[in-house]
Amino acid sequence: MPPPLDVVTDPAHGGRWTSLRHGDREWLWRRESPERAGVAPGDAFVDAGGVEECVPTVRGTPDHGDAWSRPWTREGDGDGAGGTVRCDRFVLTRTVCATDDGVEAAYVLAAEPGFRFLWAAHALLDLSEEAVVRAREGAPTRLFPEAAPLLDRPWPDGAPWLAGAWPAPRGLRLDRFGPDDGTAVGAVVEGGRCCVHDGADRLALAVEAEGQPCSVALWRNLGGFPAGRPYRSTGVEPMLGRVFDLADAGPDDAARVPASGEVRWRLTATADCRCP
């Protein structure tokens, strides 16, 4: 029998996940971006879709992190054996394998003790207007400043985020994507587990990391980004951390390398949705 989920990655181009397929259903959204092939560390992010490995930040500097723009070295035989990327302050190793009900990616980040970072599996999904995201009801959720025009009150001066509760922090419903309306909103939901429902299809995503903050970032771009040439892109992104920009992270908002010099975590994707 075919595996419940089939994954393809591209080690030469940032370790990017280029396909996550369940039978005839391709979950990953992709965008024609030929300039993606020629990027170098420090370049502005080129959005080709799929799943990018964003570390040590998502927003901020370097744009979408320091791993997506570097080639990874493959280890072992076959695509699923994993790879390693070496950056200026850390080394990240990923091993991807099939499981009985989906796909598991195991990560190890090695760096000096005390090194703080964010990581996100920056997953842009190919979703219909009817798609729904399910997370734990009432989970603490942070909204970021691009949401300001959609709220019924002014955004406080200088606030990097506003806190609320899932699925409608500060009255802004986020669990449904809906049709294009010219808006783009980012949010981070505490707890590392969620499920996407799109028609009869289900995709469950979860991240686990002992002693580290686990969340799911949501990017609901309904034709509101980028300015001038907007397009639709919908992201459901398991992450370590609680903010998009490492520069905004408080003491408990980012992962931290312990005395051992390593942080380990696990990302799972399954087609069997166990809703939070």
Side-chain angles (χ1 to χ4, degrees):
M1 294 179 61
L5 286 170
D6 185 47
V7 63
V8 178
T9 64
D10 184 358
H13 299 99
R16 177 170 158 257
W17 302 40
T18 57
S19 178
L20 183 63
R21 182 173 289 276
H22 179 224
D24 294 333
R25 170 67 190 249
E26 173 58 64
W27 279 103
L28 299 185
W29 172 84
R30 288 168 287 186
R31 176 171 172 264
E32 289 299 322
S33 303
E35 65 274 26
R36 176 72 172 77
V39 298
D43 285 354
F45 183 62
V46 176
D47 191 359
V51 182
E52 302 280 8
E53 301 284 357
C54 293
V55 59
T57 191
V58 183
R59 299 180 183 178
T61 304
D63 188 12
H64 282 69
D66 201 24
W68 72 271
S69 58
R70 298 175 184 264
W72 292 45
T73 57
R74 193 189 299 271
E75 297 182 351
D77 298 324
D79 182 77
T84 296
V85 61
R86 298 181 180 275
C87 299
D88 291 341
R89 298 190 61 194
F90 64 90
V91 176
L92 178 65
T93 299
R94 179 188 70 196
T95 303
V96 183
C97 63
T99 64
D100 290 342
D101 57 357
V103 173
E104 177 178 301
Y107 294 83
V108 181
L109 184 141
E112 289 293 324
F115 177 70
R116 299 177 77 228
F117 67 95
L118 307 174
W119 165 84
H122 187 272
L124 296 179
L125 304 183
D126 188 6
L127 301 176
S128 74
E129 295 180 359
E130 287 72 40
V132 177
V133 179
R134 296 191 177 181
R136 180 172 60 84
E137 188 82 15
T141 303
R142 292 178 177 181
L143 284 174
F144 292 81
E146 63 271 13
L150 304 178
L151 302 182
D152 61 2
R153 67 200 74 181
W155 192 272
D157 289 343
W161 65 79
L162 294 181
W166 181 264
R170 302 289 175 128
L172 179 59
R173 192 75 184 258
L174 292 178
D175 58 337
R176 296 182 181 272
F177 287 101
D180 291 0
D181 60 9
T183 66
V185 176
V188 174
V189 187
E190 289 191 25
R193 185 179 299 273
C194 72
C195 187
V196 179
H197 292 212
D198 195 5
D201 297 321
R202 304 287 185 267
L203 179 67
L205 298 168
V207 60
E208 299 174 88
E210 185 176 356
Q212 307 291 348
C214 295
S215 304
V216 176
L218 181 73
W219 174 240
R220 194 182 70 180
N221 174 24
L222 305 179
F225 178 87
R229 300 185 65 183
Y231 51 84
R232 180 186 179 96
S233 58
T234 48
V236 181
E237 309 170 15
M239 71 182 302
L240 300 186
R242 299 189 179 101
V243 293
F244 287 109
D245 191 338
L246 184 60
D248 293 332
D252 299 321
D253 292 338
R256 185 185 296 272
V257 176
S260 66
E262 292 185 347
V263 175
R264 296 175 178 267
W265 66 95
R266 182 179 68 164
L267 169 68
T268 57
T270 69
D272 178 16
C273 185
R274 301 176 181 89
C275 294

